[in-house]
Amino acid sequence: MNLTTTALLDLSHTLAGDYLSQFQYPWEALDGIKNFILTLGPTLDPAEYEERSAQIWVHKTASVAPTAFLGGPCIIGPDTEVRHCAFVRGSALVGAGCVVGNSVELKNVILFDGVQTPHYNYVGDSILGFKAHMGAGSVTSNVKSDKTLVVVRNGEERLETGRKKVGAILGDYVEVGCNSVLNPGSVLGRNASVYPLSSVRGSVPPDSIFKGPGTVIHRD
């Protein structure tokens, strides 16, 4: 499976396109998300984005519930909805037309345009591609239980990330079923789907359906 940034993600659907294009693999961009947002934020058009507090830029067409928490640095894009009790811890770039739902927690992430994390999701140290969707209760696990550095598995290949914290990389149009866990270093190819209640580890090919460990079928 091709795990390169451009194989997984259409970079025209995020303000981070130029930033991400520097990296062969998308997880290599995780270290610099905070600094990238701090650099990008002050350049945003003040006619479109309001700096609501220090290092927090929100597009004027975005809807943010009064009970939501926005921690800096973060950028919330146009026509995005941040719902009741969402918790944006910081270092989050949320694109256009996204949904950050009830009790969702975001930390050190890039959400491309059209991403939906609508209900009780944790997304940390992750990148979610164009129109990716996480079902209710699905989460990214970003730290291994033994606290060793995360390795991305791609068949027999093992790619060292050099990071203790890596959640998941979701390609464009990925669908994650309800109450699934994406284990550290999971990579899902474009148009991949994951059955509800799954525990995903390693890479899932594009245009496929993950039914369970060892049971992945190609989409007809």
Side-chain angles (χ1 to χ4, degrees):
M1 174 179 167
N2 189 344
L3 302 185
T4 61
T5 300
T6 52
L8 295 166
L9 304 164
D10 182 345
L11 301 184
S12 69
H13 291 292
T14 175
L15 292 177
D18 288 343
Y19 171 68
L20 291 169
S21 69
Q22 305 173 66
F23 302 101
Q24 181 180 8
Y25 298 114
W27 56 85
E28 295 171 341
L30 295 174
D31 279 336
I33 290 176
K34 178 178 180 179
N35 287 337
F36 171 71
I37 294 172
L38 289 171
T39 300
L40 176 63
T43 71
L44 297 172
D45 186 351
E48 297 183 8
Y49 284 84
E50 174 189 4
E51 189 172 5
R52 294 198 173 179
S53 56
Q55 302 174 354
I56 297 172
W57 296 272
V58 179
H59 197 276
K60 293 181 179 180
T61 62
S63 172
V64 179
T67 53
F69 176 85
L70 301 182
C74 74
I75 295 172
I76 306 297
D79 300 313
T80 281
E81 183 180 0
V82 182
R83 294 176 178 168
H84 173 69
C85 288
F87 178 29
V88 179
R89 283 171 56 187
S91 300
L93 172 58
V94 181
C98 294
V99 175
V100 181
N102 175 30
S103 302
V104 168
E105 181 177 349
L106 302 180
K107 171 253 180 187
N108 198 48
V109 296
I110 295 174
L111 272 55
F112 278 49
D113 300 340
V115 168
Q116 294 189 342
T117 56
H119 315 284
Y120 307 105
N121 309 109
Y122 172 69
V123 186
D125 300 285
S126 299
I127 298 173
L128 278 55
F130 181 55
K131 291 193 174 180
H133 173 261
M134 296 189 67
S138 62
V139 298
T140 64
S141 174
N142 61 339
V143 181
K144 295 172 65 176
S145 58
D146 61 5
K147 307 302 188 292
T148 58
L149 300 181
V150 175
V151 175
V152 175
R153 302 179 182 182
N154 186 27
E156 297 300 317
E157 186 180 17
R158 300 291 185 269
L159 299 171
E160 303 283 347
T161 68
R163 286 180 56 89
K164 182 179 175 182
K165 294 186 177 182
V166 179
I169 307 297
L170 275 57
D172 301 329
Y173 303 104
V174 164
E175 292 279 344
V176 179
C178 295
N179 290 322
S180 293
V181 176
L182 306 179
N183 286 283
S186 295
V187 180
L188 283 66
R190 287 181 178 175
N191 300 298
S193 296
V194 173
Y195 266 25
L197 300 174
S198 294
S199 178
V200 179
R201 191 178 305 276
S203 57
V204 178
D207 300 305
S208 65
I209 302 173
F210 181 97
K211 294 186 174 184
T215 308
V216 179
I217 64 171
H218 191 270
R219 192 186 303 277
D220 294 333

